Amino acid sequence: MVKSPIQSEKIKKLDEARKQLSRGWLQTEREKTRLAAAIDNLPLGFLIVDDYNKLVLKNVKVDEILGHRKKGEWDIETIQNKLAGPFDLNGACTKCFHDRKSCGPVDLEFANKFIRIFLSPIFFLKESVTPFGVTLLIEDITADRKAEQEKDKFLSIASHELKAPLAAIRGNTEIILGGSLDDDLRKKINDINNGAIRLIEIVHDFIDASRLEKKIVEFKKEKFLMSALIKEVIDDVKHLIAAKGLVINYVESQNDSAEVIADRERTRQVLYNLIDNSLKFTDRGSINIFSDANRKFLKVSVTDTGLGIDNATKKLLFKKFMVPGKGSGIGLYISKLLVEDMGGEIFLENSQLGKGSTFSFTLPLSAPGL
């Protein structure tokens, strides 16, 4: 049958469309293969779940990290069943999806391992409003966690072993200082005594950090005036402040009669740590303490006119042994553990290089009738 020119043109267009579809399909398959290879070669476990938290995709690293299952695939439910502790992975995925915000990283104990999970919603397009699922990235941090545990164990043992000889050095130097010495020898013995005192303080910090991490520290739940405690602490440290040519002030607010519910002595320790931190990095000017309360919490701020903190160091604050500079870097870490165990928060409120920093912490206010 002879085809008409119109039919021939239609056949030609259909053939061209078929070729384009074929090329497009091949291109799609190549991109799919590349993507699958990239996902499988990720150093992290990679899962995608849909809006019902059902598994859509996972890479081979998931099985390497979590272990190979004899029956079925890893999904949110099977991972949840192996997690130690109260973390709700299913709820976290749902929240991540509906809030359209990333979650994590979260460190969790999984069977005989430690893993770190990061969740993020997935969108088809940047301008999309609703995600179509959630990505989970899983990292095996077992080796790092065990190394950290061994380090903590060593520090704990070393700290306890150092207590007795340091106490002996301090006691004997104080006895010697009570005798008749020439000025040069007295200065040398005094330096030894001060060094021993500082080392004892560091040892106590290590022991405190270890006990706080193990959750074996008992906290009193008592009602007290924060303003009175701040004044006591200032009275205790004012000679150290004056020795450096600085001044310390407490700027009382209209809420200075506000009471908090917390452990008074542990709160004193937090104040000491923040003031000591300011003292180390402030060579001139002043240290000022402010307090203010809202309906639920009282906030205490310690502001100094010191060196300030650069952006790189800000990321390391409140992490054990991570702050460069003077001291062991453990004071802020201990303060964070203490404040959080008492139901509050601690944070760097602001800092400018060459102008100073403000650290703040909050504690719950006492409820009527307590």
Side-chain angles (χ1 to χ4, degrees), residues 119-151:
L119 300 90
S120 181
I122 315 170
F123 299 88
F124 274 118
L125 300 170
K126 289 183 179 179
E127 57 269 21
S128 298
V129 176
T130 304
F132 71 86
V134 173
T135 298
L136 291 86
L137 295 176
I138 303 176
E139 181 183 5
D140 186 352
I141 59 170
T142 306
D144 291 342
R145 183 60 67 88
K146 286 185 176 179
E148 186 177 332
Q149 288 176 343
E150 288 300 314
K151 181 182 71 175

Side-chain angles (χ1 to χ4, degrees), residues 242-257:
K244 203 170 178 182
L246 305 173
V247 294
I248 185 167
N249 304 299
Y250 172 39
V251 182
E252 299 184 49
S253 70
Q254 295 178 344
N255 300 312
D256 66 327
S257 60

Side-chain angles (χ1 to χ4, degrees), residues 75-359:
D75 57 22
I76 299 303
E77 184 178 351
T78 53
I79 294 173
Q80 179 72 64
N81 291 338
K82 290 280 189 177
L83 289 177
F87 183 74
D88 181 6
L89 183 60
N90 190 68
C93 289
T94 301
K95 186 176 186 337
C96 176
F97 181 88
H98 289 295
D99 291 352
R100 301 189 293 278
K101 291 180 180 178
S102 298
C103 170
V106 182
D107 292 354
L108 303 166
E109 190 174 344
F110 178 88
N112 60 344
K113 291 186 173 184
F114 293 97
I115 60 173
R116 178 170 292 153
I117 296 180
F118 182 85
L119 300 90
S120 181
I122 315 170
F123 299 88
F124 274 118
L125 300 170
K126 289 183 179 179
E127 57 269 21
S128 298
V129 176
T130 304
F132 71 86
V134 173
T135 298
L136 291 86
L137 295 176
I138 303 176
E139 181 183 5
D140 186 352
I141 59 170
T142 306
D144 291 342
R145 183 60 67 88
K146 286 185 176 179
E148 186 177 332
Q149 288 176 343
E150 288 300 314
K151 181 182 71 175
D152 291 342
K153 183 179 177 181
F154 167 77
L155 287 173
S156 178
I157 294 171
S159 298
H160 281 90
E161 291 297 321
L162 284 170
K163 283 179 68 177
L166 286 172
I169 292 171
R170 180 183 179 183
N172 287 321
T173 53
E174 287 178 350
I175 292 171
I176 295 170
L177 287 169
S180 178
L181 302 170
D182 62 57
D183 291 343
D184 183 57
L185 183 58
R186 180 173 295 279
K187 182 180 181 304
K188 291 175 180 177
I189 299 297
N190 196 56
D191 288 343
I192 294 172
N193 185 58
N194 289 337
I197 291 172
R198 181 58 187 145
L199 285 172
I200 289 170
E201 290 173 353
I202 292 172
V203 165
H204 286 163
D205 283 345
F206 287 164
I207 294 171
D208 273 351
S210 177
R211 295 179 70 242
L212 285 164
E213 288 167 342
K214 293 175 183 175
K215 301 293 182 183
I216 57 174
V217 174
E218 292 185 10
F219 288 86
K220 294 178 182 177
K221 197 171 183 179
E222 50 194 341
K223 182 170 66 173
F224 62 90
L225 275 173
M226 181 63 78
S227 58
L229 179 60
I230 291 171
K231 291 172 184 176
E232 287 178 22
V233 171
I234 288 176
D235 194 52
D236 289 342
V237 302
K238 62 185 180 183
H239 66 287
L240 298 173
I241 305 293
K244 203 170 178 182
L246 305 173
V247 294
I248 185 167
N249 304 299
Y250 172 39
V251 182
E252 299 184 49
S253 70
Q254 295 178 344
N255 300 312
D256 66 327
S257 60
E259 294 181 317
V260 297
I261 288 288
D263 187 310
R264 196 174 193 275
E265 288 309 304
R266 293 298 182 180
T267 306
R268 182 193 299 272
Q269 188 176 353
V270 173
L271 282 167
Y272 277 139
N273 284 343
L274 292 183
I275 293 171
D276 182 60
N277 190 66
S278 289
L279 186 60
K280 286 174 185 173
F281 297 99
T282 304
D283 293 323
R284 59 183 180 182
S286 62
I287 297 172
N288 297 299
I289 303 176
F290 304 85
S291 64
D292 195 18
N294 58 24
R295 290 193 306 167
K296 294 183 178 181
F297 293 91
L298 183 139
K299 182 175 78 169
V300 177
S301 300
V302 178
T303 299
D304 61 57
T305 55
L307 299 176
I309 304 168
D310 60 53
N311 290 330
T313 304
K314 286 177 184 177
K315 298 176 183 178
L316 304 176
L317 294 173
F318 305 108
K319 295 182 180 179
K320 187 163 59 172
F321 307 131
M322 293 297 286
V323 180
K326 306 171 185 177
S328 64
I330 202 171
L332 289 178
Y333 175 70
I334 290 174
S335 297
K336 180 179 185 293
L337 296 177
L338 288 171
V339 170
E340 290 179 352
D341 281 344
M342 292 189 289
E345 291 182 291
I346 188 167
F347 47 93
L348 174 68
E349 191 150 324
N350 60 68
S351 183
Q352 289 182 280
L353 286 175
K355 294 186 177 180
S357 306
T358 298
F359 284 88

